[in-house]
Amino acid sequence: MKRAAVVVSLAAIGAALALGGFYLGRAVDGSVPMHDGRPAAASAAESVRKVLYWHDPMVPGRRFDKPGKSPFMDMQLVPVYADEAADVGVRIGATVQQNLGVRTVVAKMADVSSSFDAVGAVQFDDRLNVAVQTRVAGYVERLLVRAPMSTVQKGQPLATIFAPDWLGPVNELLALKRAGAAPELIAAARDRLKAMSIPETLVRHSEEAGTAQARFTLDAPASGVVAELGVREGVAVASGTTLFRIAGLERVWAVVEVPEVQAAHLARGQKVSATLQSDAAQVFNGELKEILPQVSADTRTLQARFEVDNRSGKLVPGMLLRLRIAGASASRLVVPVEAVIRTGARAVVIVRRQGGAFEPREVKLGVDLGNEVEVLDGVRPGEEVVASGQFLIDSEANLKSSLGTMNAAPGVSAESAASMASAPVAAPKSAVAATTYRAEGTIESIDADSITLSHGPVPALKWPGMTMGFSKPDPHAFADVKPGDKVRIEFRQGGPMEWELVSVRSIGGAP
């Protein structure tokens, strides 16, 4: 008996030592006690947080009253806590942010000008045009400039005119002088010659020669090019006939078609820097002189007329100039263009809130400034917006939002959910009443939760033809169509992919 007692005692001591070594080893290697397959500390922390329901993240709208395996996917249901449900943002761990390449920038106020580029065509400055006429009937005896667009200098002879109607008045003056007439009569005769626009040089030559002269030369009154040649040598001309029209080239016009939306940034007196379209090294200075008060109904543009210095003579009509139109400087709230998600119907940015959560916000955009865009509403100065990886965050936010807006009852058990999985999901009343749009196209592919179509234009949304994906209201919807079918669709805004199908009908077939 004593020997048996000793054996039992030794066995008890060994068991105690083994148990103590086991716990000592767990303490040394840093292992954490587990509870229900999860760390005991985590389980205790979660027990403090209130669980609203369990759900499968891959199947929005289905809620369960206890944990278990998802009837839809090969995964465990995930708890949704009260503090998470109340949070409209999306929380992403630092490691995940790094893996996704999430980069944020600060929305800031910046002094920017409303400058923009435009292309204008060079034209003659009509204010420099000069008409050369004859004020007496006669004949063009000799034409010294014979071709349009010829360059002329001020004072250069253009043509010789013979005016027989001037012979009588000039001979009368000469006769009075030879007869020694009173000075008053000679002065009156001279005044008559001036009234008939007889040149002083012609009268002086007649007095020097002693015989009446009726041939005179028309000289260029200004430098430029002969934009219009109205006569030929030997023809008869009447009084007031325009023989030449000379266009000056010291200054030219650059006429620009300005979009209607940018017309508000134009003001007379704005300075402009112009470069040749064919040679950017040649720079010219100009100024906005006129904004023509008419908008083209076809292009929705108006014409702005810029005066450009051309004393070098390098600009000729028809050339193209690239103009940098300087606008007034103003302080604007700007974010990078890459930070804005444009869906066609709205613009969204992802804002990083205090605490690390990300929140999608709809914003109202202003002027596009190249790499940056003005934000008129939706973001405050100093807030961080996501400039890279925002599409994934926006998708997660849409998924989380859909979980909160589906009308599924929370009291559903995992066992009864299998029978509900095949039932169509009822859309909210607000979604049914939402505006719907129609289009026609061809089905490219069909997935469990979406259909990809190549559809034509949607005028109501100002969409061109494109290929895009649409959400299905449930996985079993539209089972009678297949890839390659030409269909007529009706859709509305909503669903995980922004746009959700309401109906899909084969063109020419039964609905």
Side-chain angles (χ1 to χ4, degrees):
M1 294 295 292
K2 290 183 178 179
R3 185 178 298 173
V6 171
V7 172
V8 172
S9 299
L10 290 175
I13 292 172
L17 290 175
L19 183 62
F22 172 76
Y23 282 107
L24 180 60
R26 290 289 293 264
V28 171
D29 65 11
S31 300
V32 180
M34 305 296 288
H35 175 71
D36 289 342
R38 293 177 297 169
S43 178
E46 291 180 357
S47 64
V48 177
R49 303 170 66 189
K50 181 181 179 182
V51 178
L52 293 181
Y53 55 87
W54 282 260
H55 75 112
D56 184 341
M58 304 302 294
V59 185
R62 301 301 193 188
R63 304 180 183 181
F64 308 96
D65 57 0
K66 60 183 180 180
K69 188 173 182 180
S70 170
F72 313 106
M73 303 289 177
D74 187 16
M75 61 183 292
Q76 294 294 321
L77 296 175
V78 177
V80 175
Y81 300 97
D83 54 353
E84 290 181 349
D87 189 2
V88 298
V90 176
R91 294 185 180 274
I92 302 177
T95 303
V96 177
Q97 290 186 38
Q98 184 175 2
N99 292 338
L100 295 178
V102 174
R103 178 172 57 87
T104 61
V105 295
V106 178
K108 60 182 180 180
M109 301 297 296
D111 290 332
V112 296
S113 65
S114 55
S115 301
F116 61 93
D117 291 334
V119 175
V122 176
Q123 296 182 8
F124 286 121
D125 186 343
D126 289 343
R127 296 170 300 181
L128 301 181
N129 286 358
V130 178
V132 180
Q133 295 181 334
T134 174
R135 299 185 180 182
V136 63
Y139 304 92
V140 179
E141 285 192 337
R142 187 179 179 189
L143 195 61
L144 303 175
V145 176
R146 296 173 174 272
M149 304 307 294
S150 298
T151 301
V152 297
Q153 301 298 323
K154 183 176 181 180
Q156 177 179 336
L158 301 176
T160 300
I161 307 297
F162 175 68
D165 291 346
W166 285 354
L167 291 174
V170 174
N171 280 324
E172 182 179 346
L173 172 64
L174 295 177
L176 289 174
K177 292 185 66 176
R178 284 193 296 267
E184 293 82 1
L185 293 177
I186 295 176
R190 290 187 181 278
D191 291 341
R192 181 185 177 193
L193 297 180
K194 288 182 181 179
M196 297 179 66
S197 300
I198 299 177
E200 286 285 346
T201 56
L202 181 64
V203 175
R204 186 171 62 253
H205 291 161
S206 298
E207 291 177 336
E208 293 174 353
T211 59
Q213 303 291 323
R215 290 176 178 84
F216 66 97
T217 300
L218 288 175
D219 297 332
S223 299
V225 297
V226 178
E228 180 181 331
L229 178 60
V231 294
R232 289 298 175 186
E233 190 171 285
V235 300
V237 294
S239 175
T241 301
T242 298
L243 308 182
F244 304 90
R245 184 171 63 85
I246 299 175
L249 281 175
E250 294 181 1
R251 300 184 305 273
V252 293
W253 282 340
V255 179
V256 178
E257 296 284 343
V258 180
E260 185 179 6
V261 296
Q262 293 178 334
H265 303 300
L266 296 178
R268 288 183 178 86
Q270 279 181 305
K271 302 299 180 182
V272 62
S273 176
T275 59
L276 277 177
Q277 183 82 342
S278 58
D279 185 3
Q282 300 191 41
V283 182
F284 306 87
N285 297 319
E287 181 180 344
L288 176 59
K289 288 298 185 181
E290 292 291 338
I291 303 173
L292 305 188
Q294 183 177 6
V295 176
S296 171
D298 297 329
T299 61
R300 305 309 305 171
T301 59
L302 53 78
Q303 287 188 339
R305 188 181 289 161
F306 294 86
E307 182 185 277
V308 181
D309 183 12
N310 188 38
R311 281 174 289 186
S312 63
K314 295 182 179 180
L315 298 178
V316 296
M319 282 185 172
L320 292 180
L321 288 178
R322 182 172 294 277
L323 292 83
R324 180 67 176 175
I325 303 170
S329 179
S331 181
R332 304 172 187 268
L333 177 62
V334 297
V335 299
V337 171
E338 59 185 349
V340 181
I341 303 173
R342 304 174 192 259
T343 65
R346 61 190 184 121
V348 176
V349 298
I350 306 298
V351 179
R352 183 172 186 172
R353 304 188 309 170
Q354 292 183 353
F358 295 91
E359 174 188 357
R361 288 191 197 167
E362 186 171 347
V363 293
K364 183 179 180 182
L365 301 179
V367 180
D368 192 338
L369 303 171
N371 293 330
E372 296 179 325
V373 62
E374 179 186 10
V375 178
L376 301 177
D377 188 27
V379 177
R380 296 185 297 273
E383 289 188 311
E384 290 185 72
V385 298
V386 179
S388 177
Q390 66 269 38
F391 289 96
L392 297 175
I393 300 175
D394 184 52
S395 299
E396 180 67 18
N398 289 337
L399 177 61
K400 183 172 181 180
S401 175
S402 67
L403 291 175
T405 56
M406 287 293 183
N407 287 339
V412 181
S413 65
E415 291 78 4
S416 62
S419 61
M420 297 173 58
S422 60
V425 180
K429 293 181 179 180
S430 60
V432 175
T435 303
T436 59
Y437 306 92
R438 294 176 176 82
E440 293 184 359
T442 303
I443 297 179
E444 300 293 342
S445 63
I446 300 177
D447 298 326
D449 55 355
S450 66
I451 296 180
T452 301
L453 299 104
S454 295
H455 64 77
V458 183
L461 293 173
K462 298 181 179 180
W463 284 3
M466 67 180 80
T467 300
M468 62 181 291
F470 294 87
S471 303
K472 295 165 62 175
D474 71 88
H476 302 281
F478 318 125
D480 56 336
V481 294
K482 61 184 182 300
D485 286 355
K486 294 186 179 298
V487 295
R488 182 178 293 110
I489 64 170
E490 186 174 359
F491 62 96
R492 65 191 171 205
Q493 190 168 10
M497 302 182 72
E498 292 286 344
W499 298 96
E500 183 180 57
L501 292 168
V502 176
S503 66
V504 179
R505 301 169 182 267
S506 296
I507 297 178

